[in-house]
Amino acid sequence: MSIGLDILLLPIIEVVLMGLLAGLVGAIALVHRRIFFTESLTHATFPGAIVGVVVAAWLSQALLGRRADFTLLSVGAGLMCLPMIWLMRRLSQVPGVTSQSAAGVVLTFGFALGYFLSKWFAPLPLKVDSFLAGSVLNVSRVDVIAVGVVLALTVLVLFVAGRFLTFYSFDPLGYRASGLRPAWAEATVMVMITLTIVMLVPAVGTILPIALIAAPAAALAPWTSTMRRLLVAAPILGAATALVGLLAAVRLSLSAGGVIAVASGLVYLISAIAHWIAMSRVRARIPFRR
């Protein structure tokens, strides 16, 4: 299948911007140990996206007399994150329930609720595959502008408060001892993660954003010695991975979201293998002493 550059221009801009955003926020999520939290939220957006599309279809038909453009898909996905975050925090406060366990409960509940709603509102205006894997080739200028705005805001937040977020992630006790409020840092990280997931939903769906968010930072973490280097390198790797995934998907006539997720996994796998080989050589040079 041959697709012209005029058709690919918006998707290319979209994947580059969302790769930069996902890599940047992924680095923050990694050092704050919020990767599993992020995965739980991606599943939580599934029911929100379904409700958003159903509402958008009804409003467009009732008020405008035409089919919906599904702009509310991302809005619904974002709004669903709010009760899921609340539920996760409440569960984590229950004695004996860890934050990881709470995230696992929310992950399972979110996906189950999405599946239930997809059957309840069947037939949906969009196929379920569109929710899970997204549709990069159908993004609009609004989607591209939204990702660009969130990326700019994220860079601004990290420029202004990046030192405090880094301080809290590596030394939470010292952060509290300094008189700083941990709730502010936690809220900032959660908002950045939530907005990033919402921005990725139209392009890569509700399930696959975790791959693009987690993989670049996790792949580079063993090779970077400072947080600043990770914040610079992860977005670049994220953008490159997303772009290669898109071009490979177009070339092979496959789902762009799925190929981008696979490319992200391969990036992490290659990095892990390379790091293991490098560490094996280092250990081989160290003389064994009894």
Side-chain angles (χ1 to χ4, degrees):
M1 180 178 64
S2 178
I3 300 179
L5 181 60
D6 54 336
I7 298 177
L8 281 178
L9 182 59
L10 272 181
I12 288 176
I13 298 175
E14 171 79 1
V15 298
V16 170
L17 290 177
M18 74 180 192
L20 292 171
L21 176 62
L24 191 61
V25 175
I28 297 295
L30 180 67
V31 298
H32 279 265
R33 293 173 289 278
R34 291 292 182 269
I35 295 299
F36 197 31
F37 167 84
T38 304
E39 184 177 6
S40 300
L41 282 190
T42 60
H43 287 68
T45 59
F46 184 27
I50 291 177
V51 173
V53 166
V54 171
V55 172
W58 181 82
L59 289 176
S60 297
Q61 190 65 38
L63 301 179
L64 304 177
R66 59 183 176 83
R67 295 184 61 184
D69 57 3
F70 306 114
T71 303
L72 289 182
L73 185 149
S74 295
V75 177
L79 292 177
M80 182 57 70
C81 289
L82 300 179
M84 292 299 182
I85 292 175
W86 176 85
L87 176 61
M88 201 180 310
R89 291 187 65 85
R90 292 292 297 177
L91 288 174
S92 63
Q93 294 172 356
V94 175
V97 178
T98 65
S99 59
Q100 298 293 328
S101 300
V105 171
V106 171
L107 185 154
T108 305
F109 173 71
F111 189 79
L113 180 60
Y115 185 79
F116 169 78
L117 291 176
S118 68
K119 296 300 182 181
W120 181 270
F121 290 111
L124 291 170
L126 288 178
K127 294 181 179 180
V128 175
D129 294 348
S130 300
F131 296 100
L132 301 180
S135 182
V136 178
L137 297 179
N138 291 326
V139 295
S140 63
R141 291 185 179 180
V142 175
D143 296 321
V144 175
I145 293 173
V147 175
V149 170
V150 173
L151 175 60
L153 291 175
T154 302
V155 172
L156 179 61
V157 168
L158 292 178
F159 180 78
V160 174
R163 292 177 300 172
F164 298 99
L165 295 178
T166 302
F167 182 18
Y168 178 69
S169 64
F170 288 102
D171 188 6
L173 294 179
Y175 185 90
R176 292 184 175 90
S178 301
L180 299 174
R181 298 180 60 184
W184 176 88
E186 287 285 349
T188 302
V189 173
M190 287 184 179
V191 169
M192 288 194 297
I193 292 174
T194 301
L195 288 178
T196 300
I197 293 173
V198 171
M199 290 300 102
L200 267 60
V201 165
V204 294
T206 60
I207 305 299
L208 302 179
I210 183 61
L212 193 56
I213 293 174
L220 291 171
W223 307 98
T224 52
S225 57
T226 64
M227 186 64 189
R228 179 175 297 179
R229 292 180 181 177
L230 184 62
L231 289 174
V232 172
I236 296 174
L237 181 59
T241 302
L243 182 58
V244 169
L246 172 63
L247 298 179
V250 172
R251 182 72 175 178
L252 300 174
S253 300
L254 297 174
S255 167
V259 176
I260 290 174
V262 171
S264 301
L266 289 175
V267 164
Y268 175 76
L269 180 62
I270 293 171
S271 174
I273 293 174
H275 185 258
W276 179 79
I277 293 174
M279 291 297 98
S280 298
R281 292 179 177 178
V282 170
R283 287 191 293 267
R285 295 193 190 102
I286 299 177
F288 177 75
R289 295 180 180 179
R290 293 185 177 181

